[in-house]
């Protein structure tokens, strides 16, 4: 006769719970370890986020652009035009508060005080681009060359998602016949 161990029903439930906890711990460790790769940069920007470059916390805009003019404020008539696969966004014009949109109205949101008139001397214009995929940005302002760039999102294979990017843009003074304007 072979002796067989007897299992009480409570013991089987305890072992099942232990197995489930172990499996949950392994899944959590794998998820945390999935973002150990470095975040990449793209088109003038760099990846941002938590440890290893994976985004952590609240959702961020795909691109955050910061526009500056060398030696002074950005032109008062600076305009930002954005197009991406889903649409051409409404144009933002620094000198026209009727173009200053919220995220409920457009996917281009610039950091301006909606309760104040257009700024006289803005050191940097910061705009969030809540787009998905390749995004075309055009910026213009009096006294500066028109700026055009296509921003390409960076996919993190480790995180299995796109990495939000910060892009610095410095306007170039316009030259007319060899003489700066």
């Amino acid at each position: 006769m072979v002796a067989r161990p007897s299992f009480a029903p409570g013991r089987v439930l305890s072992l099942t719970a232990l197995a489930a906890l172990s499996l949950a711990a392994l899944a959590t460790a794998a998820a945390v370890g999935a973002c150990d790769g470095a975040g990449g940069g793209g088109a003038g920007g760099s990846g941002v986020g938590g440890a290893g470059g994976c985004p952590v916390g609240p959702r961020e805009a795909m691109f955050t652009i910061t526009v500056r003019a060398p030696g002074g404020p950005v032109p008062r008539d600076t305009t930002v035009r954005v197009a991406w696969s889903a649409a051409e966004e409404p144009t933002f014009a620094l000198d026209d508060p009727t173009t200053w949109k919220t995220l409920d109205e457009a996917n281009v949101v610039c950091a301006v005080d909606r309760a104040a008139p257009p700024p006289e001397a803005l050191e940097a214009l910061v705009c969030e681009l809540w787009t998905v995929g390749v995004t075309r940005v055009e910026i213009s302002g009096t006294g500066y060359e028109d700026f055009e760039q296509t921003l390409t999102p960076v996919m993190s294979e480790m995180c299995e998602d796109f990495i939000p990017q910060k892009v610095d843009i410095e306007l170039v003074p316009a030259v007319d016949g060899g003489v700066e304007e």
Side-chain angles (χ1 to χ4, degrees), residues 33 39 45 48 59 74 77 82 85 87-88 92-93 96 101 110 125 131 136-137 146-147 150-151 158 170 178-180:
V48 295
R59 186 103 172 116
V74 295
D77 65 347
V82 173
S85 62
E88 186 169 317
F92 170 87
D96 183 1
K101 306 294 183 191
C110 297
L125 175 62
T131 60
R136 180 88 177 144
V137 177
D146 289 347
F147 173 88
T150 300
L151 305 175
M158 296 284 198
E170 185 161 326
V179 180
E180 285 188 22

Side-chain angles (χ1 to χ4, degrees), residues 131-155:
T131 60
V132 177
V134 174
T135 302
R136 180 88 177 144
V137 177
E138 298 175 4
I139 301 170
S140 61
T142 302
Y144 293 88
E145 298 286 333
D146 289 347
F147 173 88
E148 296 178 16
Q149 185 172 2
T150 300
L151 305 175
T152 304
V154 174
M155 174 61 119

Side-chain angles (χ1 to χ4, degrees), residues 69-93:
V74 295
R76 292 191 70 227
D77 65 347
T78 298
T79 60
V80 178
R81 287 174 295 287
V82 173
W84 58 296
S85 62
E88 186 169 317
E89 295 298 320
T91 298
F92 170 87

